Amino acid sequence: MTNNDSGGFPDWESLYNKQQVESMPWYSEKLDPDLDEEISNGKLSVKGRFLDLGTGPATQAVQVAKRGFTVTGSDISKSAIYRAMKVYANEPNIIFIVDNILDSRIKDDEYDYIFDRGCFHVFQPGDRPRYVREIKRILKKDGMLFLKCFSTEEKRDEGPYRFSKKQVSKIFENEEFKIERIKETVYQGTLDPLPKALFIVLTNHKSITRL
Ligand SMILES: C[S@@+](CC[C@H](N)C(=O)[O-])C[C@H]1O[C@@H](n2cnc3c(N)ncnc32)[C@H](O)[C@@H]1O
């Protein structure tokens, strides 16, 4: 992956078709500790419907389901989703769907919570408004988005786009998301040292105009 505007991101389908998920930089069997903290501290009032957006290896989706939520793992890559369906066929409370979040088939107001660990930060700047609108549409009113993305503190040449707290706040607040918490953290996976990241908790203060 390259961090520029030239579309240098992987072809996700051929990546998941050819490579073992365990060797991917974002592979982590454990639940993201920042999301785990949100769940464990009892900050989520309902055990509702969770979307793990850009689920890839699906480890995060499975861990969220184990904590009592009804989970959908979605990804643009068919190979990633077919693998997840096979590997996790016996896991209760979880389904997998092929879906492109920039042109999503998911219904309005479908989810109480969305977890995005590493999908938003691969989109080119021109695609971000579409992403934010789709998230707003499929998330219930007062639903929550948990977002993990690379931080401007991360100095590797390779990788996805980087965000400061100010930049990410501006992108979402323009669309009436409320930033509840935002912190500097790391992105768990197979890289050493772990990439520096932001973890942002947002609430959807819905008022979209439907035509
Ligand atoms: C950095 S990986 C993170 C995977 C997973 N969330 C995790 O934490 O292990 C980004 C994922 O986003 C998916 N993705 C990329 N563009 C997408 C899109 N437009 N819609 C849905 N998923 C997408 C990729 O296929 C990939 O699995």
Side-chain angles (χ1 to χ4, degrees), residues 1 12-13 16 26-28 52-60 74-77 80 99-102 115-119 121-123 187:
M1 282 203 269
W12 300 103
E13 179 49 23
Y16 284 105
W26 48 87
Y27 184 81
S28 175
D52 181 35
L53 172 59
T55 195
T59 50
Q60 303 303 303
S74 74
D75 204 285
I76 196 168
S77 161
D99 190 67
N100 174 4
I101 190 59
L102 298 179
F115 184 34
D116 176 337
R117 196 182 84 113
C119 188
H121 70 183
V122 304
F123 295 133
Y187 192 118

Side-chain angles (χ1 to χ4, degrees), residues 142-193:
D142 299 326
M144 298 174 87
L145 170 66
F146 304 98
L147 180 64
K148 184 157 271 194
C149 58
F150 273 26
S151 147
T152 44
E153 295 300 308
E154 174 53 46
K155 304 298 182 198
R156 281 181 179 85
D157 288 339
E158 296 284 298
Y161 291 99
R162 321 285 152 95
F163 296 87
S164 66
K165 290 181 179 179
K166 204 171 157 188
Q167 279 169 330
V168 86
S169 303
K170 195 170 166 211
I171 291 169
F172 286 90
E173 281 174 345
N174 283 347
E175 292 287 338
E176 292 183 52
F177 277 89
K178 181 175 175 234
I179 312 277
E180 303 288 352
R181 293 175 278 291
I182 178 163
K183 70 170 183 182
E184 296 279 356
T185 180
V186 290
Y187 192 118
Q188 281 73 20
T190 58
L191 297 178
D192 183 17

Side-chain angles (χ1 to χ4, degrees), residues 58-102:
T59 50
Q60 303 303 303
V62 168
Q63 291 301 329
V64 172
K66 284 188 193 306
R67 283 156 177 78
F69 296 90
T70 304
V71 179
T72 303
S74 74
D75 204 285
I76 196 168
S77 161
K78 282 187 187 136
S79 292
I81 291 300
Y82 293 165
R83 175 198 162 273
M85 283 171 166
K86 213 164 97 188
V87 173
Y88 299 115
N90 296 325
E91 287 289 332
N93 303 326
I94 186 162
I95 60 161
F96 294 101
I97 58 168
V98 177
D99 190 67
N100 174 4
I101 190 59
L102 298 179

